[in-house]
Amino acid sequence: LSYRVKIRMKGQPPESATFDRLTDAREWSKKIEADMKASRHFGASKRHTVAELFDRYEASEGYRKLKSAHSVKAWLNWWRELHGAALLSDLTPDVIAKARDTLKAMPKQRGGGIRSNAAVNRTRAALSSACSFAVKELGWIERNPLERVSRGSESKGRVRFLSDAELPAFLQACRESRSASLYLAAVLALTTGGRRSEVLGLRWPQIDLGRRTAMLVETKNGEARALPLSGEAITLLQERAKVRSMKDDRLFPPKPGSKAPFMDLRAPFAAALKTAEISDFRWHDLRHTCASYLAMAGTSPL
């Protein structure tokens, strides 16, 4: 009588052996399984590099659907330059933690000073998503090493909105801007509460002036929703419709030849803030302003 043991594990070559005693067979199987899970038994993590993982991840359907794919690629490139040639088995929590601390100490490209925990966490999250892909889709590693690497604490964030005095000054500056699109974009942002990409990325087929809505299909959370159109926004859209381009259905098309998804209004927006003498204000704060005024008007949170 003999006992034959065969072990199969995703991402690992099968192993088999024969024993005279059942206890020996059980002990051997436990040891080999433990070695496989720890990637010590000639596992896939010793046959593939970090760069190979990134290549497979960036070619995956899940990655292509990411709205932040451009940013994720930039963060992965940082890891690629640092550890791209390393085997996945060498990408240990200790190695990752040291890289995290190195990134934290690196000066920012703009503005000087060290990088914030939020920026470091985004870079860490990009690597984590690739490692999760290696675990769930490829079977190249048994466990995501980022599970054992801590995240830096982040601030709760800022809540800034235009005051009763700032709002009319800002709108007047937008109205007088050299950009013929800034005022419409600002009014849409303030009255709908839409995100920057949602407002500036609007296309005419999404606009229903009869129902006074702008339908969003691709949103940050992946759920379609309608932005309500009201007040001056309706009038401005009606005027814009009279001079719209027949070759481009975007409300805010970029400059000819540009590959940008929509018009770049950063410079005129900054100029309007300067004219209105408003400081510490970002485009996303227009969304906060909309929410704040709705709340003060007694609108339900939903």
Side-chain angles (χ1 to χ4, degrees):
L1 180 65
S2 63
Y3 299 91
R4 179 176 172 78
V5 183
K6 190 166 187 177
I7 301 176
R8 293 179 179 274
M9 187 173 293
K10 187 176 181 180
Q12 308 279 8
E15 292 289 335
S16 61
T18 304
F19 301 88
D20 294 329
R21 297 193 309 166
L22 179 60
T23 53
D24 291 341
R26 286 175 174 170
E27 288 179 4
W28 180 85
S29 65
K30 288 181 180 179
K31 178 181 183 303
I32 298 304
E33 284 183 358
D35 286 346
M36 283 183 170
K37 289 180 179 179
S39 297
R40 293 193 298 266
H41 196 70
F42 307 105
S45 64
K46 289 184 177 291
R47 301 196 301 269
H48 298 285
T49 65
V50 173
E52 286 180 272
L53 168 59
F54 291 171
D55 290 342
R56 288 290 297 274
Y57 177 54
E58 291 171 2
S60 69
E61 183 179 358
Y63 174 85
R64 291 195 297 270
K65 289 182 177 180
L66 289 176
K67 291 185 176 298
S68 57
H70 180 74
S71 297
V72 171
K73 185 175 181 63
W75 294 323
L76 289 180
N77 283 341
W78 186 83
W79 290 105
R80 189 190 294 268
E81 290 180 9
L82 193 65
H83 292 301
L87 293 172
L88 289 174
S89 58
D90 295 328
L91 195 64
T92 63
D94 180 58
V95 168
I96 296 171
K98 289 179 179 178
R100 174 204 61 196
D101 295 341
T102 297
L103 178 62
K104 173 68 176 174
M106 289 174 62
K108 294 185 293 185
Q109 293 180 344
R110 298 177 182 178
I114 62 174
R115 296 172 187 265
S116 66
N117 282 340
V120 176
N121 287 343
R122 299 297 87 74
T123 309
R124 174 194 175 280
L127 178 61
S128 182
S129 63
C131 288
S132 292
F133 178 76
V135 173
K136 298 175 182 178
E137 301 293 333
L138 302 177
W140 286 1
I141 54 177
E142 181 66 24
R143 182 180 179 184
N144 188 338
L146 276 300
E147 293 176 1
R148 289 168 285 173
V149 179
S150 63
R151 300 170 70 256
S153 60
E154 299 181 26
S155 63
K156 294 182 178 179
R158 63 201 289 282
V159 178
R160 171 76 161 94
F161 59 92
L162 293 171
S163 67
D164 289 341
E166 291 175 326
L167 181 58
F170 170 73
L171 289 175
Q172 182 62 28
C174 290
R175 197 180 288 111
E176 297 173 354
S177 171
R178 293 183 179 180
S179 169
S181 298
L182 180 61
Y183 185 60
L184 170 60
V187 169
L188 285 173
L190 285 166
T191 56
T192 66
R195 297 180 176 86
R196 174 175 169 270
S197 61
E198 294 171 344
V199 170
L200 297 184
L202 282 171
R203 295 176 179 269
W204 286 108
Q206 296 173 254
I207 306 295
D208 189 332
L209 293 176
R211 296 182 178 180
R212 297 187 168 220
T213 59
M215 180 58 66
L216 300 178
V217 178
E218 296 184 4
T219 61
K220 184 176 180 179
N221 60 12
E223 297 179 359
R225 76 175 194 278
L227 295 178
L229 301 175
S230 60
E232 191 176 9
I234 295 290
T235 304
L236 293 173
L237 286 171
Q238 290 172 335
E239 294 175 355
R240 187 69 161 229
K242 296 176 183 178
V243 295
R244 56 173 288 196
S245 170
M246 294 295 104
K247 296 181 180 180
D248 195 326
D249 66 355
R250 288 174 288 189
L251 267 70
F252 304 99
K255 293 181 179 180
S258 172
K259 294 183 179 180
F262 43 72
M263 188 179 297
D264 186 353
L265 293 177
R266 287 175 295 183
F269 176 68
L273 292 176
K274 185 176 181 180
T275 299
E277 298 182 349
I278 297 173
S279 59
D280 187 31
F281 195 82
R282 306 167 188 169
W283 186 278
H284 193 75
D285 295 330
L286 296 175
R287 180 171 165 85
H288 294 162
T289 300
C290 175
S292 298
Y293 275 84
L294 285 172
M296 287 186 282
T299 305
S300 72
L302 179 62

